[in-house]
Amino acid sequence: MDTLERILELQKQSGLTVKALEAATGISNGSFSKWKKGTYAPSAEAVLRLAKYFHVSTDYLFCLSDSPYPKVEISLTGKEKILIDAYRAADDMGQLNIIYVCLDEMKKAKGDSESAV
């Protein structure tokens, strides 16, 4: 698979026409046609715009990675790891419950910080 195939796959999955995708990303009208014909290759700027639009990594579009999502290295505390493991192990309803508890705690924390002002 090459860069163009990955772009066209994402375009197809999005349900957008090529013309609509060009408009949404600010890519020149007719660029996709030129790419398909082999007249031009997608520029780095076009690939960057598409990566941002589809929320995938440029490494994925340039076929340097098979994962569409950028790898993010973060350090988690033990409690954060437990929370993530619990979420992953839960069924749909359990995951929703975890989300609701987290949102409730965020509201409480925000309320506390606003009342402190």
Side-chain angles (χ1 to χ4, degrees):
M1 184 171 279
D2 66 9
T3 298
L4 180 58
E5 289 172 322
R6 289 208 169 157
I7 292 169
L8 293 174
E9 180 182 291
L10 289 167
Q11 175 258 323
K12 188 183 234 183
Q13 290 171 356
S14 73
L16 291 174
T17 64
V18 167
K19 194 171 202 114
L21 182 57
E22 286 175 335
T25 57
I27 293 173
S28 300
N29 190 17
S31 290
F32 277 76
S33 176
K34 293 173 186 173
W35 298 344
K36 287 179 186 178
K37 290 178 186 173
T39 310
Y40 294 101
S43 68
E45 181 183 343
V47 171
L48 182 59
R49 286 180 184 204
L50 290 162
K52 285 181 179 181
Y53 183 81
F54 288 118
H55 304 286
V56 298
S57 71
T58 53
D59 281 356
Y60 175 74
L61 292 182
F62 282 125
C63 302
L64 300 173
S65 169
D66 289 330
S67 173
Y69 307 107
K71 291 184 180 177
V72 178
E73 302 254 346
I74 57 171
S75 296
L76 299 175
T77 66
K79 291 177 184 176
E80 290 168 331
K81 289 177 186 175
I82 291 169
L83 179 60
I84 290 169
D85 289 342
Y87 179 84
R88 288 180 177 162
D91 62 11
D92 287 343
M93 187 54 103
Q95 289 177 346
L96 286 174
N97 286 333
I98 291 168
I99 291 169
Y100 290 138
V101 169
C102 290
L103 290 173
D104 188 48
E105 290 300 318
M106 287 171 46
K107 285 180 188 174
K108 286 180 192 175
K110 188 174 184 179
D112 288 346
S113 65
E114 287 177 0
S115 64
V117 175

